[in-house]
Amino acid sequence: FTESRDKIYSSEEEEETAQQKKLRLAKQYLSKLEEEEAEKKADEETLKEAVASRLQHDISEQAGRLTKQIADQCQCPTESDIKTFRGHSLPVTAIVITPDDKFVFTASKDCNICKWSLETGLKVKTVKGGRKGTEDVHVGHTDHILCMAISSDGKFLAAGDMNNMVKLWNPVDCSFIHKFRGHRGPVTGVSFRKGAHTLFSCSQDRVVKVWNVDELAYVETLFGHNSPITSIDSLTRDRAITAGGSDKTVHVWKITEDSQLLFHGHNASIECVALVNEGNFFTGADDSSVSLWSVLKKKPMTTVKSAHNEHGNFTGSENWITAVAALHHTDLVASGSKDGFVRLWKCGPDFKTLKQVFKVPVTGFINSLKFSSNGDFLVAAVGQEHRMGRWWRLKEARNGWCVIPLKSTAANTG
């Protein structure tokens, strides 16, 4: 009887409609908000107002309508303000910051992952890489690591490599958790859905894969790009965004609806993409152009040509955009190339304009950029070579990573 009752219950759970699931999740979310606000407020009337205000704020943030004006408050750091760290023998290809802004993880072509303390600037731990062919006996990566992502609760670190694999690590003690196999080409990007343990990965095999990290399970494969995928990003919604490299398209994958949105506009290979909010994104291409987009329009809202080519000394394709980043729900984005500068940009009203705020001198290929969650600083992974190959070698560059402080003029005057 118990067994049959369990079967009935499980079938009822399975039959939960999308509408019922939305309602259940909404109730959970409301009760969570009420709990959080109840700790701060005394009477019931104030509590209702506080919850309503929080809901309005969250809805605006989700829709991308709430944009904090940060760019104009940022002050260009001097060269002495920029802290540089070395600890990898080969180019640093990827970088992430823990959600509490206390630690940084770097990955490299030397197959190592390093954990650093931002407070002391010291290396805390190294996940050693092994030689190619030792995959069965070696727990670390055995080929160039190309990308990394950390979950928004700081419980999982994912890294993708040239060996077609995604490996999962515990960010606290850097212990190995699991490896996801399935891609048929180098894994070029990984991204966690914010507030969840869903992991998206993209590859040179032209597909996106979805993984359930809690269950350590494969979920599905998404097809649509016609060339190797170069970059992936995601935020809170059940969506992922990818740059399709030489197919010159950006795809927004709507997982729940099992559909995708397609965007065209760059005249060159799209090398990187970053979501600014749920409704806008920022891309960089190998002709040195950067673009701002809205998910409501198929073409860019604005494009800056030769963004990293101001003197016109090089052909456009030489200083291609190698990394972009966005400070979520603000007007501040950043781009990197190999022209010797990381550039910070201000997104104008309704994301229709893009204006350079300042440029920070950093020598080498900027292979990855990330903003701290509080917006106080930006970190850059730097190498003598591009993360994907060895087309150029900048002998004057040093393999490492740097912290770029974003001094706020408002804070200085206050």
Side-chain angles (χ1 to χ4, degrees):
F1 172 76
T2 311
E3 193 177 301
S4 60
R5 188 181 63 183
D6 287 346
K7 278 180 184 171
I8 292 164
Y9 282 142
S10 66
S11 66
E12 279 176 3
E13 281 169 23
E14 283 163 19
E15 285 168 19
E16 182 186 43
T17 65
Q19 199 59 41
Q20 287 168 332
K21 187 180 178 184
K22 279 180 184 172
L23 190 63
R24 177 171 57 79
L25 292 173
K27 283 178 181 173
Q28 280 176 11
Y29 181 60
L30 266 176
S31 59
K32 185 187 164 197
L33 278 189
E34 281 170 0
E35 275 172 35
E36 285 175 10
E37 293 299 329
E39 289 171 14
K40 305 176 206 167
K41 311 288 173 190
D43 59 287
E44 201 175 322
E45 197 56 43
T46 324
L47 179 63
K48 277 183 185 172
E49 283 175 22
V51 170
S53 169
R54 274 284 298 277
L55 270 175
Q56 194 57 52
H57 178 280
D58 288 1
I59 290 164
S60 298
E61 197 172 70
Q62 285 277 333
R65 287 194 294 268
L66 192 72
T67 305
K68 292 175 192 159
Q69 305 299 311
I70 299 282
D72 288 337
Q73 295 170 20
C74 289
Q75 202 175 337
C76 184
T78 62
E79 276 197 66
S80 59
D81 290 332
I82 301 164
K83 295 189 181 80
T84 305
F85 304 89
R86 319 223 180 273
H88 289 280
S89 57
L90 291 173
V92 182
T93 53
I95 194 162
V96 294
I97 310 168
T98 55
D100 60 8
D101 291 339
K102 287 182 179 174
F103 297 95
V104 161
F105 287 89
T106 55
S108 165
K109 288 187 181 183
D110 63 11
C111 307
N112 293 346
I113 296 173
C114 296
K115 181 180 181 179
W116 306 76
S117 163
L118 273 164
E119 190 182 350
T120 63
L122 298 174
K123 203 188 286 184
V124 180
K125 193 97 176 167
T126 300
V127 178
K128 287 274 186 192
R131 288 166 64 175
K132 203 164 184 182
T134 61
E135 292 83 11
D136 294 334
V137 293
H138 192 86
V139 74
H141 290 266
T142 54
D143 209 337
H144 298 175
I145 303 167
L146 302 176
C147 53
M148 270 196 310
I150 193 164
S151 60
S152 55
D153 59 3
K155 288 185 178 174
F156 297 101
L157 177 77
D161 63 25
M162 288 282 279
N163 218 12
N164 312 350
M165 229 176 291
V166 177
K167 290 198 174 184
L168 211 56
W169 306 91
N170 179 338
V172 179
D173 60 5
C174 295
S175 58
F176 174 74
I177 297 172
H178 188 70
K179 61 183 163 197
F180 291 119
R181 299 173 186 266
H183 278 295
R184 295 183 176 187
V187 180
T188 52
V190 283
S191 180
F192 281 97
R193 183 181 168 194
K194 202 174 173 187
H197 289 156
T198 301
L199 176 67
F200 303 106
S201 61
C202 66
S203 164
Q204 288 191 348
D205 64 8
R206 307 180 185 190
V207 304
V208 173
K209 287 190 182 285
V210 186
W211 314 89
N212 180 328
V213 172
D214 285 326
E215 305 288 332
L216 300 179
Y218 159 79
V219 179
E220 63 178 317
T221 300
L222 310 173
F223 300 89
H225 278 291
N226 296 321
S227 65
I229 304 173
T230 52
S231 178
I232 193 163
D233 199 12
S234 58
L235 275 175
T236 313
R237 294 173 82 174
D238 200 3
R239 290 180 174 191
I241 187 167
T242 50
S246 56
D247 73 7
K248 301 177 187 174
T249 68
V250 173
H251 289 231
V252 170
W253 308 86
K254 299 162 88 172
I255 311 297
T256 314
E257 295 92 331
D258 196 19
S259 65
Q260 54 186 284
L261 304 173
L262 196 58
F263 302 86
H264 297 268
H266 277 291
N267 296 319
S269 175
I270 306 175
E271 295 298 304
C272 36
V273 63
L275 282 161
V276 183
N277 53 48
E278 299 287 5
N280 300 93
F281 56 94
F282 183 49
T283 55
D286 76 353
D287 63 353
S288 200
S289 66
V290 291
S291 293
L292 256 184
W293 308 67
S294 161
V295 293
L296 304 175
K297 301 209 168 181
K298 299 295 176 194
K299 299 279 180 192
M301 303 292 276
T302 184
T303 296
V304 177
K305 291 181 178 177
S306 296
H308 282 256
N309 241 7
E310 57 191 21
H311 301 303
N313 296 339
F314 306 97
T315 57
S317 60
E318 194 163 309
N319 281 349
W320 70 82
I321 309 300
T322 51
V324 292
L327 184 54
H328 295 150
H329 307 293
T330 74
D331 61 345
L332 188 63
V333 294
S335 61
S337 180
K338 70 170 191 61
D339 65 327
F341 296 99
V342 170
R343 296 173 192 263
L344 280 291
W345 306 83
K346 174 186 165 73
C347 306
D350 299 323
F351 295 90
K352 287 179 179 171
T353 60
L354 201 55
K355 179 184 146 200
Q356 185 174 298
V357 185
F358 54 79
K359 57 184 184 180
V360 182
V362 182
T363 304
F365 277 93
I366 309 300
N367 284 321
S368 182
L369 287 167
K370 290 287 186 308
F371 282 98
S372 62
S373 54
N374 61 14
D376 284 351
F377 60 92
L378 175 71
V379 293
V382 186
Q384 290 184 326
E385 302 164 352
H386 187 280
R387 73 180 179 119
M388 295 304 301
R390 305 187 68 177
W391 307 285
W392 272 286
R393 187 173 173 80
L394 300 176
K395 287 181 182 172
E396 67 275 21
R398 302 283 299 277
N399 298 320
W401 65 281
C402 61
V403 177
I404 301 165
L406 302 171
K407 292 179 179 173
S408 166
T409 50
N412 290 346
T413 53

